[in-house]
Amino acid sequence: MIAVNDKGYYGEFGGAYIPEMLHPNVEELQRCYLEISEDQEFQKEFRGLLKDYVGRPSPLYLAERLSEHYGMTIYLKREDLNHTGAHKINNTIGQILMAKRLGKTRIIAETGAGQHGVATATVCALMGIECIVYMGAIDIERQAPNVSRMRMLGAEVRPALSGSQTLKDATNEAIRDWISNPVDTHYIIGSVVGPHPYPDMVARFQSVISEEMKWQLEEHTGSSHPSGIIACVGGGSNAAGAYYHYLNDPEVRLVAVEAAGHGIDSGHSAATSVLGTKGIIHGSRTLLMQTPDGQIVEPYSISAGLDYPGIGPLHAHLIDSGRAEAISITDEAALKAAFFLARKEGIIPALETAHAFAALDHLEYNADDVFIVCLSGRGDKDLSTYIKHFDQLG
Amino acid sequence: MAEGLLPAIAYLRPKTINMNRLDQLFAEKQSNLLNIYFTAGYPALEDTTTIIAALAKAGVDLIEIGMPYSDPMADGPTIQESGMQALKNGMTLETLFGQVADVRAQTDVPLVLMGYFNQVMQYGEQAFVDRCVAVGIDGVILPDLPIFEYETFYRQMFEDAGLHVSFLITPQTSEDRIRKIDDLTRGFIYMVSDSSITGAKSGISDRQLAYFNRINAMQLEHPRLIGFGISNHETYAIACRYAQGAIIGSAFIKALAETTDLEGTIAEFVQMVRGEVAV
């Protein structure tokens, strides 16, 4: 049975390695998250917003031209069609409702590319709650349109000036804010990372993805069981949601696609399952990229949503135990896959998601296999990167 | 205490039979304890030994040595920046152990290492404990090692070696949990003065004094040192009124950053905190 235990561990991964200053907040969440999220009134409000505000269920689409090219059946789970353009909103809707029930009046979040920041700013606007988003100073430069979106939605974007000024430092700054504001503030973490109960709580809010897949695939094919599910993994929240209801069904292959950046051995990569070793990052015992002395290494990927030096503890457990297979995809292969999907299916994917599509070239499969690719986000935010590569790939 | 419960294996390991220097200190002195924190390898890589020797000479009661870390989530910008500089200077845990071994020839001041648990994991937990004891480290503070994990996986290892572990309490820590922490702590309890990261604020509020009084009334077994927001004689004196002593970090690092005369600055800083000279 693959599930988190009451101390927050998946096998040897997980836990809550947090300073005592965070204990009351985290302990409160640990104590309350299941009771609150399983409450009928909560579920009614959560489901209602997912349907009417986010636009769920997201379609499960048979990609015929892609299927023909690869010689098997490929379905796409269209999380790109959600409000704000990615799966991230499933989690922020759940967490803002959680925060309200915990009586919190102030929200903080971290963001890398800005997608989670936008999804958080969106739900805070919806609920009329103060929102502060920490973002690496370098990412603020790189992702200007998303910074403007957050500001238009009424959020304050605070630059993380410490360390390498990217996602991991934005996370550190958010944690520090939480330490300094322990009573009124809820921290909306954007992925299945961080101390227990975040990995499990976020996975549960994202699990609507695989919940829908089951009945949608049954409608399409008469069986709710695909041969496998392919999803990109940075921290791993869309993958956790896409795997969730199939975790204990060993017949369904789980394929985790990581960013190889310039290549696994290039020194510029984010392939945590290959390059990472066991350690602790942001309160969780997991796999992470670090020096032999335990200093956390800055990862690299062309996709800002995948350049996180760790991986959620669920994924560390799935990969370490052999339940999930990991594939790493270079920047170049991801770019090619994005252009290929655009021309084959008329869908421009996010750069993160493009990695999942590139994995189709590296997968072993049979002609009668049915695979689902989690199309986690749309590519509008990556247009400037795509335009730069038009001459080579367009 | 656990001495009587040590398993037989403990006697097979080379182990100092001397009393832990922290226990010795607290047996002799129960008030006005001054603990100064600095980051190893900062401002320059080789400054670690100079700073320890100068602090000992200036009469601080114990010294907390920061193991520089890339992602110090409980520390504020001053300590983080000093850590980044130390890492750029080439500081590693092994280098630090070598420096501590060198300086131990000059001083018996109790030495406590402060760092993050990932550093200990990567060194190897048992190897870390053994090396600490071998070079003369008396205790450790690992703010992100929770008491559940410590008790379940590591308590025996640290207690067998006689390496003390100090845990933190904050204004939000419940009474039950403070009792539990008092039970698990060896050496002293690190009392966080406010809901904050290191170096965050200055001055002490009535709300904080109420918290200090509340903890005082609990009559804990272990001495308490108040840290976070202690920066000068005034805040040190208040902390010493409500606990056995105080910990100063960020303010000391700032003083080091601005000087070319380490030894002189350190002597002046300690005098300033103790109130031995006019500021």
Side-chain angles (χ1 to χ4, degrees):
Chain A
M1 180 74 182
I2 297 166
V4 77
N5 72 16
D6 66 338
K7 293 294 176 194
Y9 284 88
Y10 303 89
E12 66 180 291
F13 301 105
Y17 292 79
I18 48 163
E20 188 61 29
M21 295 81 96
L22 283 179
H23 179 80
N25 278 331
V26 170
E27 195 269 338
E28 179 185 39
L29 263 184
Q30 289 174 351
R31 198 162 21 86
C32 301
Y33 84 107
L34 286 178
E35 196 188 320
I36 291 176
S37 63
E38 286 168 1
D39 174 72
Q40 267 192 357
E41 277 304 303
F42 180 98
Q43 278 296 323
K44 200 176 149 198
E45 200 177 351
F46 179 55
R47 300 282 167 167
L49 284 169
L50 288 183
K51 176 170 175 282
D52 298 328
Y53 187 71
V54 176
R56 303 202 72 93
S58 69
L60 185 71
Y61 162 70
L62 172 62
E64 287 191 36
R65 300 222 311 140
L66 203 62
S67 298
E68 190 190 343
H69 175 81
Y70 283 104
M72 66 163 162
T73 305
I74 300 171
Y75 283 91
L76 310 183
K77 182 59 175 161
R78 298 291 307 273
E79 294 299 301
D80 59 319
L81 296 177
N82 292 338
H83 179 42
T84 71
H87 68 289
K88 292 286 185 192
I89 190 105
N90 303 328
N91 168 45
T92 59
I93 295 263
Q95 285 206 49
I96 198 78
L97 296 178
M98 179 73 62
K100 272 178 70 180
R101 276 161 178 78
L102 291 170
K104 305 291 182 179
T105 55
R106 180 175 176 272
I107 295 295
I108 54 170
E110 84 297 336
T111 197
Q115 290 304 101
H116 173 59
V118 168
T120 304
T122 299
V123 297
C124 287
L126 180 67
M127 298 293 167
I129 295 181
E130 182 186 0
C131 178
I132 290 140
V133 179
Y134 288 91
M135 190 169 183
I138 289 173
D139 288 335
I140 287 180
E141 295 281 313
R142 290 196 289 206
Q143 310 285 339
N146 272 342
V147 175
S148 302
R149 277 187 194 106
M150 287 184 267
R151 289 188 173 141
M152 185 160 173
L153 290 160
E156 181 191 340
V157 181
R158 285 193 190 162
L161 299 165
S162 62
S164 50
Q165 306 189 349
T166 58
L167 177 57
K168 80 177 176 74
D169 307 286
T171 308
N172 291 335
E173 291 297 327
I175 290 171
R176 286 173 180 155
D177 181 307
W178 209 21
I179 286 173
S180 302
N181 298 283
V183 180
D184 63 346
T185 299
H186 176 70
Y187 176 18
I188 299 189
I189 293 183
S191 191
V192 287
V193 302
H196 176 62
Y198 279 102
D200 186 49
M201 180 169 68
V202 176
R204 283 166 183 267
F205 290 144
Q206 292 292 359
S207 71
V208 65
I209 299 172
S210 51
E211 185 186 298
E212 290 171 2
M213 278 179 184
K214 283 193 117 164
W215 62 260
Q216 289 172 321
L217 193 66
E218 173 118 35
E219 271 185 12
H220 277 285
T221 67
S223 164
S224 61
H225 295 246
S227 315
I229 299 165
I230 304 172
C232 62
V233 174
S237 69
N238 91 82
Y243 298 164
Y244 195 87
H245 290 284
Y246 297 103
L247 285 173
N248 293 298
D249 186 347
E251 300 293 302
V252 178
R253 286 167 62 189
L254 307 177
V255 183
V257 186
E258 295 182 308
H262 292 329
I264 293 285
D265 300 319
S266 66
H268 300 277
S269 180
T272 308
S273 74
V274 184
L275 299 169
T277 49
K278 292 171 187 176
I280 292 165
I281 181 169
H282 298 137
S284 183
R285 189 186 274 246
T286 185
L287 295 171
L288 64 136
M289 292 169 57
Q290 56 184 330
T291 67
D293 221 33
Q295 308 293 342
I296 296 174
V297 168
E298 187 61 22
Y300 164 80
S301 162
I302 191 170
S303 132
L306 298 183
D307 65 353
Y308 182 67
I311 184 174
L314 166 65
H315 296 297
H317 176 61
L318 293 177
I319 292 169
D320 194 59
S321 66
R323 174 68 186 93
E325 40 198 301
I327 292 178
S328 12
I329 295 299
T330 61
D331 289 355
E332 197 188 350
L335 283 166
K336 268 190 203 153
F339 278 84
F340 188 70
L341 184 71
R343 300 291 162 89
K344 276 283 178 202
E345 294 288 348
I347 298 169
I348 298 174
L351 259 170
E352 292 78 12
T353 315
H355 288 72
F357 283 94
L360 287 165
D361 291 323
H362 300 267
L363 199 67
E364 286 176 29
Y365 57 87
N366 301 315
D368 59 353
D369 278 349
V370 176
F371 268 83
I372 300 177
V373 182
C374 187
L375 214 173
S376 55
R378 58 177 173 246
D380 310 30
K381 69 180 178 64
D382 297 310
L383 214 54
S384 64
T385 307
Y386 290 147
I387 289 166
K388 271 185 224 152
H389 295 85
F390 245 77
D391 292 343
Q392 302 146 257
L393 299 162
Chain B
M1 301 287 278
E3 273 78 23
L5 303 170
L6 287 180
I9 187 82
Y11 298 104
L12 302 175
R13 202 173 288 138
K15 173 170 174 293
T16 167
I17 49 162
N18 297 328
M19 197 178 184
N20 183 296
R21 292 177 197 87
L22 287 166
D23 294 336
Q24 230 162 339
L25 169 67
F26 300 137
E28 289 162 10
K29 189 173 173 184
Q30 288 89 35
S31 62
N32 295 323
L33 293 161
L34 177 59
N35 177 2
I36 298 269
Y37 170 98
F38 76 100
T39 303
Y42 174 86
L45 185 64
E46 298 303 334
D47 287 339
T48 312
T49 49
T50 314
I51 292 169
I52 293 172
L55 282 170
K57 193 174 158 205
V60 304
D61 298 293
L62 62 159
I63 299 170
E64 195 178 317
I65 308 167
M67 317 187 304
Y69 190 52
S70 57
D71 293 75
M73 66 160 109
D75 288 304
T78 305
I79 289 179
Q80 172 157 16
E81 277 159 32
S82 67
M84 296 292 283
Q85 185 57 49
L87 292 173
K88 274 187 203 139
N89 295 343
M91 182 46 87
T92 65
L93 209 42
E94 201 50 66
T95 304
L96 172 55
F97 283 132
Q99 292 173 339
V100 172
D102 287 346
V103 83
R104 258 292 169 235
Q106 302 172 45
T107 175
D108 269 329
V109 69
L111 296 174
V112 174
L113 281 188
M114 187 273 177
Y116 289 82
F117 190 58
N118 192 47
Q119 299 173 280
V120 177
M121 268 182 86
Q122 302 316 315
Y123 196 86
E125 293 91 339
Q126 185 69 61
F128 175 86
V129 168
D130 291 344
R131 193 86 175 100
C132 279
V133 172
V135 302
I137 294 290
D138 303 290
V140 297
I141 302 168
L142 301 165
D144 63 341
L145 175 59
I147 59 176
F148 167 76
E149 272 75 8
Y150 174 71
E151 196 177 14
T152 312
F153 304 119
Y154 304 111
R155 180 184 189 176
Q156 198 70 51
M157 188 187 287
F158 281 83
E159 291 194 352
D160 285 355
L163 182 64
H164 285 356
V165 182
S166 287
F167 289 96
L168 278 62
I169 63 171
T170 80
Q172 274 77 40
T173 311
S174 68
E175 180 165 343
D176 283 355
R177 195 168 163 88
I178 291 173
R179 296 273 175 219
K180 175 91 191 162
I181 285 169
D182 193 30
D183 180 50
L184 285 175
T185 283
R186 297 289 176 267
F188 63 92
I189 291 175
Y190 192 130
M191 189 168 162
V192 178
S193 69
D194 199 1
S195 309
S196 67
I197 48 175
T198 58
K201 299 176 186 94
S202 60
I204 289 179
S205 68
D206 290 347
R207 187 170 46 87
Q208 286 172 280
L209 293 183
Y211 154 62
F212 297 165
N213 275 322
R214 175 166 61 85
I215 305 304
N216 234 347
M218 287 183 71
Q219 310 241 326
L220 300 176
E221 182 194 343
H222 292 92
R224 284 159 287 121
L225 302 182
I226 297 179
F228 290 43
I230 312 299
S231 59
N232 51 27
H233 177 63
E234 187 199 348
T235 44
Y236 163 75
I238 294 173
C240 289
R241 225 175 293 146
Y242 292 88
Q244 285 79 0
I247 305 172
I248 300 182
S250 300
F252 181 66
I253 301 219
K254 279 180 193 151
L256 295 184
E258 288 157 8
T259 184
T260 48
D261 169 22
L262 277 182
E263 279 152 331
T265 300
I266 290 168
E268 271 172 38
F269 187 88
V270 173
Q271 281 175 354
M272 178 275 286
V273 171
R274 296 281 202 192
E276 287 159 3
V277 285
V279 185

